[in-house]
Amino acid sequence: METRILVEPCLATPVVARANSADLPIIRGAMDEAAGAREFTAFEHWDGQFHQAIANATHNHPLIEIYRTITASREYAEWGEMKRNSITEERRANYVAEHAEIMAALQARDAARAEAAMRAHLVTVRQNLLGAGFGSSAE
């Protein structure tokens, strides 16, 4: 989570600057699939695809590769167990709403708003996974 909080909000500016006409529908499609997922595994898959699609929309190959490493880390058993143990319907609905805010900011080409929305989302995820008092200095 520390790496995600450091890296992911920084993707907003290059996405806003470089996303092409194909990128935003891909991001939205992953967001919609996550929102409609009925099972934890499907939600987790599409959640990962949503975040990876944002990285891909930077069109910056080093950033894309860095984010692929982050995406791959979601496959670790420890991550899955923490996520599975922390997820509730209320939290999942909140993640869906936070994804929608990220998407709206990207669609509006508002880098500052997208960065803030990404950071807020990741702080929420971190709090849900690790507890409210964990790592508050990265905010």
Side-chain angles (χ1 to χ4, degrees):
M1 284 309 307
E2 182 177 41
T3 303
R4 287 186 70 190
I5 289 170
L6 291 170
V7 171
E8 202 163 334
C10 296
L11 301 176
T13 296
V15 170
V16 164
R18 297 189 199 106
N20 62 39
S21 62
D23 293 321
L24 294 178
I26 291 169
I27 297 167
R28 180 174 295 285
M31 179 189 76
D32 291 344
E33 290 288 345
R38 299 209 189 292
E39 298 174 357
F40 168 80
T41 306
F43 176 79
E44 185 64 12
H45 169 78
W46 288 108
D47 178 61
Q49 292 301 304
F50 171 76
H51 291 282
Q52 184 64 56
I54 291 170
N56 293 348
T58 68
H59 296 276
N60 178 310
H61 294 290
L63 279 176
I64 292 167
E65 289 305 314
I66 288 167
Y67 208 81
R68 279 193 182 126
T69 301
I70 292 169
T71 298
S73 73
R74 296 169 66 116
E75 300 299 321
Y76 295 156
E78 295 87 359
W79 172 266
E81 191 65 25
M82 284 191 321
K83 192 84 181 267
R84 189 180 302 276
N85 289 336
S86 73
I87 199 78
T88 64
E89 284 302 316
E90 181 181 340
R91 286 177 175 175
R92 186 172 142 169
N94 190 47
Y95 296 160
V96 168
E98 290 173 343
H99 287 172
E101 173 56 21
I102 293 166
M103 184 70 229
L106 293 175
Q107 191 80 45
R109 302 288 181 163
D110 186 336
R113 179 178 160 203
E115 182 176 339
M118 288 177 187
R119 183 169 284 107
H121 171 59
L122 294 170
V123 168
T124 298
V125 173
R126 179 184 63 198
Q127 289 172 341
N128 290 341
L129 287 174
L130 303 171
F134 187 84
S136 59
S137 65
E139 296 170 21

